Amino acid sequence: MHLGASPDAGSAYSRTRNREIWNSLEKVIDICNQEKTDLLLIAGDLFHRQPLLRELKEVNAMFSSLEHTKVTVIAGNHDYIKRDSYYRSFPWTSQVTFLEEEEMSCAEYPQLQLAVYGFSYHSREIAESKYDYAGAPGRYRYEILLAHGGDEKHIPIHRENLARLGYDYIALGHIHKPGKIKGVKAAYAGALEPIDRNDTGPHGYMKGEITPEGCQVEFVPAALRSYVHLDIPVRVEMSGYNLKNAVRAAVEEGGVQNLYQIRLLGSRDPEVRFDTSGMDVYGNILEIRDETQPAYDFKRLMSMNRENLLGSYIKSFDGCSRDSVEYEALCEGVQALMETRENQGMRAT
């Protein structure tokens, strides 16, 4: 969930983006009530950092509105249980079971013939592969493992070991992108909302059902916004006005609710300098990087400057291909020399 995070946002959303994560959780709770969901699993990082007492009271009030659903929660590496954490003494509503122990414990739901096993982080990093041998006890008809980790500093997880644990389902947290684990009844739900500009792609939650025939899960997109990396091709004949319209059209096609990082690629008129500061029409562009190259006529320039440094510089790159590093150096060098010449001419004037 990462409640309390302040994600990157365009100017139109900078004040409200923090609240949108809470709104997404409210939406999930509404869905649980509508669909009479039996169990809501939160695999760590309910909060983006140590929760404040008022924040715990707020989220607890939200969970108390669940009419049918039981909630099982563990703490992850972002909201790990410190010595003075409010998690240690907080009185959760009856709908919630918080598995706060540092070693494996379980939430038992006899009416569902189910137990959920898991433990919470008590430090920011755990390098031990604690899930590798945490097999299902076999005490209940259905057993779920609630786990958080997957990299070398946060409980390394090995797929082949997960497959041997014997759980009906393993609900995974920590990795922000959603995805199922091949060959295992396990999946990462991912972050409910994207947290930073590198959290591209769809975000939401995993919805599943366990029956005597097995476990089936599917990803449900639910995020209010997505981060999108967008490349916009630039042609030599394009002016700043043309480019602004191209950026506007690309954003409208991708969805004006989303947040964009844009790269400008291609060739531009050497006399044109794009002013990207006014191209954020909808207030949802985080960055525009101009990576265009000036479309110089190098043969003509070399012919006109045979006796000076500019002509010699162009000649030294004779024969390089347009997709080479050398060509990039040629473009950048010529641009620098041309700008130097222009500045000297201005000072002489």
Side-chain angles (χ1 to χ4, degrees):
M1 299 292 182
H2 288 276
L3 298 171
S6 297
D8 297 316
S11 59
Y13 309 111
S14 58
R15 295 182 180 179
T16 60
R17 189 73 184 113
N18 176 284
R19 183 63 216 179
E20 286 180 346
I21 302 176
W22 289 84
N23 293 343
S24 284
L25 177 56
E26 288 183 28
K27 178 181 175 182
V28 169
I29 288 174
D30 289 342
I31 292 169
C32 287
N33 283 331
Q34 293 165 13
E35 299 187 358
K36 298 188 182 301
T37 301
D38 293 308
L39 190 64
L40 174 61
L41 300 170
I42 300 176
D45 293 348
L46 172 61
F47 288 90
H48 190 61
R49 34 111 182 108
Q50 293 297 309
L52 304 176
L53 183 57
R54 61 177 173 80
E55 293 173 323
L56 283 172
K57 289 181 177 180
E58 182 69 22
V59 78
N60 197 47
M62 293 165 68
F63 288 144
S64 69
S65 70
L66 288 165
E67 300 162 0
H68 180 86
T69 308
K70 299 297 183 183
V71 185
T72 310
V73 186
I74 59 174
N77 62 296
H78 277 267
D79 58 351
Y80 70 95
I81 302 178
K82 297 174 68 174
R83 183 173 299 178
D84 58 351
S85 172
Y86 287 114
Y87 271 148
R88 290 184 178 273
S89 58
F90 188 76
W92 291 98
T93 181
S94 61
Q95 287 94 326
V96 177
T97 301
F98 185 74
L99 301 178
E100 66 180 70
E101 299 301 321
E102 197 168 358
E103 300 301 327
M104 193 72 73
S105 60
C106 77
E108 299 177 289
Y109 302 103
Q111 71 277 20
L112 300 175
Q113 304 179 67
L114 168 71
V116 180
Y117 299 85
F119 57 83
S120 287
Y121 276 60
H122 283 239
S123 59
R124 192 182 302 275
E125 296 181 358
I126 302 176
E128 180 186 354
S129 301
K130 298 186 68 169
Y131 299 118
D132 280 0
Y133 304 102
R139 294 170 48 214
Y140 279 81
R141 181 172 185 177
Y142 303 114
E143 294 182 320
I144 292 174
L145 176 62
L146 193 57
H148 188 94
D151 61 44
E152 62 180 13
K153 293 184 178 180
H154 306 96
I155 312 186
I157 291 175
H158 306 102
R159 182 186 63 80
E160 63 276 10
N161 291 332
L162 288 185
R164 293 194 291 264
L165 297 181
Y167 291 96
D168 294 280
Y169 179 60
I170 301 174
L172 294 165
H174 181 60
I175 305 300
H176 285 189
K177 293 186 182 296
K180 298 178 183 179
I181 307 299
K182 187 176 181 180
V184 187
K185 290 177 285 188
Y188 282 99
L192 183 62
E193 287 281 336
I195 302 304
D196 62 49
R197 61 183 64 192
N198 293 316
D199 280 353
T200 56
H203 286 75
Y205 58 88
M206 288 290 176
K207 173 182 176 180
E209 184 176 23
I210 301 177
T211 67
E213 287 72 42
C215 177
Q216 299 293 327
V217 295
E218 62 175 332
F219 173 71
V220 180
L224 296 173
R225 311 189 194 285
S226 295
Y227 289 103
V228 180
H229 292 177
L230 188 62
D231 291 342
I232 294 183
V234 177
R235 301 183 305 278
V236 175
E237 64 271 17
M238 291 178 73
S239 65
Y241 174 76
N242 299 139
L243 179 58
K244 181 177 181 178
N245 287 334
V247 169
R248 182 205 301 266
V251 168
E252 289 174 350
E253 182 178 354
V256 296
Q257 79 282 4
N258 294 323
L259 303 165
Y260 292 87
Q261 283 181 277
I262 293 175
R263 288 194 310 167
L264 307 179
L265 301 176
S267 299
R268 58 175 169 77
D269 187 322
E271 301 302 318
V272 169
R273 298 292 184 272
F274 294 126
D275 179 7
T276 60
S277 62
M279 295 184 182
D280 186 9
V281 177
Y282 293 102
N284 58 352
I285 297 177
L286 304 177
E287 179 185 27
I288 300 179
R289 287 163 44 198
D290 185 357
E291 298 183 9
T292 58
Q293 297 286 353
Y296 290 110
D297 184 341
F298 292 117
K299 288 185 178 180
R300 180 171 175 272
L301 280 174
M302 188 169 67
S303 175
M304 294 174 61
N305 296 274
R306 292 184 184 278
E307 307 302 324
N308 60 36
L309 177 60
L310 178 59
S312 299
Y313 184 81
I314 296 172
K315 187 176 181 180
S316 69
F317 288 91
D318 190 35
C320 67
S321 61
R322 292 183 65 89
D323 58 352
S324 65
V325 175
E326 290 79 8
Y327 188 81
E328 290 184 22
L330 170 62
C331 292
E332 291 175 7
V334 168
Q335 183 172 357
L337 290 169
M338 294 290 285
E339 288 175 353
T340 300
R341 176 184 288 184
E342 289 175 7
N343 291 334
Q344 288 174 342
M346 289 173 65
R347 284 198 294 271
T349 301

